[in-house]
């Protein structure tokens, strides 16, 4: 059920879905075309940006946004000076048109845990833009959570460790000699991530992002870097939980898939949960050196399975999973709100853009 709010714009109606105020929903109060929407976004920067700063995400629903180029027009209308073209994240993505990519090419049964986009970088994206070109038959929500509230609720002992030591990431990538686009643990290859096989260019990009590179085998690569774990919003001055522990920790996926099973109650979800639990147990017994993606406190201390579960519990406490409707566009403040993906069935195509 929606709750109406006041707005100075006569033809855009604002509301919330249910009891949550994440996201704030913008809907047309009368029939308009795409040009009307893009013109409004251009001319009302202060209004929608203030809403974005307050609530963390805006869902545009019911507007005539039918294809990737329409979504691209919305991106241009925001007048963001640096729309994303280079993706240093881990999920496989395909470019559709300039500044517009598929959100992820991972299989539909894969869960994507909550994360702020590229939080492991010194300068992660400022805004994220999602477009539901085609909503899934079942599932496939892109849940979001308020990272400012997550920060408040995380165990104070965990926060103290991160405050003192930060977060350290280690990621192993296969290289061009491996034909598979992604594996269960590594996801895409390093040449896909860096967009080049030129090692001088790889080093240049890595130096800019403070990545330590260690080569092994034929052309495999380990990347290590550190971040603070929290971030202060440059405008709102709010502090947010801002790290990839809940994505890169070996235990995170297990917590996620069992919670998904409780939500979806399908045989497939149960099968994925059981299989991943077994694989994670094997990796745990094998030790941290066997983990292709690993995260610790900045001093090298392990984040325990118990600590990781408590982090996951906080995220699920704040999780908002609104089913996509074809044509939806959502703008997310990447310094305040996280996102993920629930498993789905049937055709689904979500496109993404971002601004640096």
């Amino acid at each position: 059920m929606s709750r109406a709010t006041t707005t100075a714009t006569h033809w855009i109606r604002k509301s919330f879905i249910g009891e949550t105020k994440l996201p704030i929903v913008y809907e047309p109060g009368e029939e308009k075309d795409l040009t009307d929407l893009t013109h409004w976004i251009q001319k009302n920067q202060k209004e929608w940006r203030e809403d974005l700063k307050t609530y963390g995400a805006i869902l545009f629903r019911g507007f005539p946004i039918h294809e990737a180029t329409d979504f691209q027009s919305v991106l241009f209308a925001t007048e963001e000076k640096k729309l994303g073209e280079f993706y240093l994240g881990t999920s496989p993505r395909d470019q559709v048109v300039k500044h517009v990519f598929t959100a992820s090419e991972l299989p539909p049964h894969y869960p994507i845990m909550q994360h702020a986009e590229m939080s492991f970088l010194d300068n992660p994206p400022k805004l994220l833009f999602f477009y539901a070109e085609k909503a899934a038959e079942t599932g496939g929500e892109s849940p979001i959570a308020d990272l400012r509230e997550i920060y408040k609720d995380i165990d104070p002992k965990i926060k103290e460790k991160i405050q003192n030591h930060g977060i350290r990431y280690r990621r192993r990538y296969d290289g061009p000699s491996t034909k598979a686009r992604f594996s269960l643990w590594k996801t895409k290859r390093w040449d896909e991530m860096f967009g080049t096989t030129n090692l001088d260019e790889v080093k240049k990009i890595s130096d800019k992002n403070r990545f330590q590179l260690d080569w092994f085998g034929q052309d495999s690569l380990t990347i290590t870097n550190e971040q603070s774990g929290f971030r202060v919003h440059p405008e709102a001055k709010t502090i947010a939980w801002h790290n990839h522990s809940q994505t890169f920790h070996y235990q995170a996926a297990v917590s996620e898939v069992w919670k998904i099973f409780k939500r979806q109650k399908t045989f497939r979800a149960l099968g994925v949960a059981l299989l991943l639990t077994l694989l994670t147990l094997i990796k745990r017994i094998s030790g941290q050196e066997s983990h292709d993606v690993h995260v610790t406190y900045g001093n090298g201390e392990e984040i325990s399975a118990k600590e990781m579960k408590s982090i996951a519990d906080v995220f699920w406490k704040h999780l908002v999973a609104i089913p996509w409707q074809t044509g939806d566009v959502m703008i997310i403040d990447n310094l305040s709100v996280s996102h993920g993906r629930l498993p789905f069935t049937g055709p689904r195509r979500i496109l993404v853009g971002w601004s640096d």
Side-chain angles (χ1 to χ4, degrees), residues 114 143-145 256 263 314-321 338 342:
Q114 288 294 299
I144 55 179
E256 189 80 357
R263 177 187 175 89
V314 172
F315 268 93
W316 274 76
K317 172 186 172 184
H318 291 280
L319 209 66
V320 177
S338 62
L342 295 180

Side-chain angles (χ1 to χ4, degrees), residues 196-210:
T196 180
T197 56
N198 183 311
L199 298 188
D200 289 335
E201 189 64 24
V202 169
K203 187 177 186 308
K204 181 180 176 182
I205 295 168
S206 298
D207 288 346
K208 182 179 178 181
N209 289 280
R210 297 189 300 111

Side-chain angles (χ1 to χ4, degrees), residues 1 12-13 16 27 59 73 82 111 137 151 159 225 229 257 271-272 279 286 297 319 336:
M1 180 180 294
I12 287 188
R13 184 173 65 244
F16 301 111
E27 296 175 286
L59 176 62
S73 296
K82 290 185 66 179
E137 182 181 303
Y151 174 81
K159 284 199 289 192
N225 72 302
V257 293
V272 170
L279 293 172
S286 302
Y297 295 110
L319 209 66
S336 299

